[in-house]
Amino acid sequence: METKFWELKKNPEAAIDEAAGLIRAGEIVAFPTETVYGLGADGLNGTAVTKIFAAKGRPADNPLILHIADTEQILPLTTGLNANARALMETFWPGPLTIVVPRSEIVPDAVSAGLDTVAVRMPSHPVAAALIRAAGCPIAAPSANVSGKPSPTNAQDVAEDMTGKIAGILDGGSCGIGVESTVVDTTSPVPTILRPGGITREMLEERLGAVEIDPALNGNPALRPKAPGMKYRHYAPQAPMYLYEGPQAGQRLLEAAIRGQKQGLCIGVLCDDAVKKRLEESLWRGHTLEILSWGSGKPDLAEHLFELLRSFDRVSPQLIIGMGVDEKGLGLAVMNRLRKAAGYQILLAEEDRITVRSGSGFPEFLLTADR
Ligand code: AMP
Ligand code: MG
């Protein structure tokens, strides 16, 4: 299949109209949102929705989010909204928040993977909103990556995964938030975060009072996550990845990277600007480390995380070591993605000691703390 590529700088209305026509005709088009790029189909057309699963290689038991452009557009999709759902819509829409609500009969089985609920979001990105309005239907859209790879945050990363598989790609530049939407189940007695994202736990609590977090999100393999998609290995670069967490994460990562270099290993390092600078100052000349920094602060980490994880696949290190951040604010969302990327191979770096938080079979040079 030929995949059209529309650069939106030129004549955006004509491109959006053409893309909307393809969606109405049952085809798939990738488009930018404020979180990541989405792979969109007519959300009320079960046959069109099935093509999304084929293009991504997505397991059929992982339901999709329906994207709408106006609040009232949710009404035909659900049998009813409770006070929590309405409060969340009022406060956070349009924006990076998805709500899970009871599903109505017009929602195809393919969208909700047979569940009796449906996930709905109203994105704030102007191209996403214009596309949904022009198509005249809710747009079912997961992230526009091949299943298992990091979500794409620019059109080139979409093209890498989807050229030849879908009808077109709308290039709206880079996504500002960089991690996927927060998914909140409004049908449980206490609203529950099923996936942390751009709207933080603190923001939700300020609006709703008590909010729970799905206990399966901390990586305990014995628990089954309520969002089916959260059980899959995700965001993983090809090389094995290990994560340092805790107050000394940056320091321990720095020391380990230097030890690894001395052993002649080709290591990918994921850290912030401050650690990158110190590491470059302490390394041997002609170093073999690939050091990728996200900048400074959690918003920078969220914005650049997926593109950095994808970059490691282009340089193929033997292993990757990453540095975690605390879980306040956006930290919960980025740590959820980082821990998954690392396959829960996590070391806790406290004063003077490193302990295994989860995982096994760590290379020895990661486990010793310099004195
Ligand atoms: P993606 O579209 O790839 O960003 O993934 C959407 C996420 O929302 C996945 O983790 C899904 O499992 C989750 N999700 C979608 N619909 C529902 C639903 N009805 N109930 C619970 N989780 C859902
Ligand atoms: Mg996804």
Side-chain angles (χ1 to χ4, degrees), residues 1-250:
M1 168 183 292
E2 195 207 331
T3 303
K4 287 207 150 194
F5 195 92
W6 298 281
E7 278 179 39
L8 291 181
K9 276 163 238 144
K10 312 172 217 147
N11 212 348
E13 289 83 17
I16 289 170
D17 276 351
E18 196 183 345
L22 286 166
I23 286 183
R24 273 196 306 275
E27 296 298 335
I28 300 178
V29 171
F31 62 99
T33 80
E34 69 276 24
T35 57
V36 302
Y37 272 73
L39 209 54
D42 176 349
L44 300 181
N45 175 343
T47 316
V49 168
T50 310
K51 292 185 189 169
I52 294 180
F53 286 86
K56 273 182 73 87
R58 183 176 174 107
D61 72 348
N62 190 3
L64 304 180
I65 297 170
L66 288 179
H67 294 74
I68 60 176
D70 297 288
T71 317
E72 311 78 66
Q73 230 181 333
I74 195 177
L75 298 175
L77 306 176
T78 179
T79 53
L81 299 168
N82 60 23
N84 285 331
R86 289 182 188 277
L88 291 175
M89 289 161 56
E90 244 166 55
T91 312
F92 298 109
W93 279 5
L97 178 77
T98 297
I99 58 172
V100 171
V101 298
R103 161 200 175 191
S104 79
E105 275 176 6
I106 67 164
V107 177
D109 276 341
V111 168
S112 54
L115 298 174
D116 53 13
T117 53
V118 62
V120 185
R121 172 163 110 85
M122 182 159 122
S124 64
H125 196 292
V127 173
L131 181 69
I132 298 163
R133 289 206 178 97
C137 57
I139 293 187
S143 49
N145 51 291
V146 166
S147 266
K149 284 179 76 172
S151 302
T153 51
N154 60 65
Q156 287 65 42
D157 286 348
V158 178
E160 187 180 291
D161 282 13
M162 291 296 152
T163 300
K165 297 183 190 167
I166 61 174
I169 300 169
L170 285 163
D171 179 1
S174 294
C175 302
I177 296 177
V179 289
E180 300 91 339
S181 61
T182 307
V183 178
V184 177
D185 184 0
T186 66
T187 66
S188 46
V190 180
T192 305
I193 299 177
L194 305 187
R195 176 175 76 183
I199 300 291
T200 64
R201 174 188 196 164
E202 292 84 346
M203 291 158 82
L204 295 168
E205 281 172 342
E206 201 183 315
R207 184 65 184 87
L208 298 179
V211 171
E212 282 176 1
I213 299 186
D214 184 352
L217 292 188
N218 67 15
N220 181 344
L223 299 174
R224 196 183 162 80
K226 293 204 190 85
M230 298 302 280
K231 69 174 177 281
Y232 294 106
R233 186 175 143 92
H234 238 109
Y235 316 116
Q238 273 147 25
M241 178 167 169
Y242 305 91
L243 191 62
Y244 283 105
E245 294 187 10
Q248 296 291 312

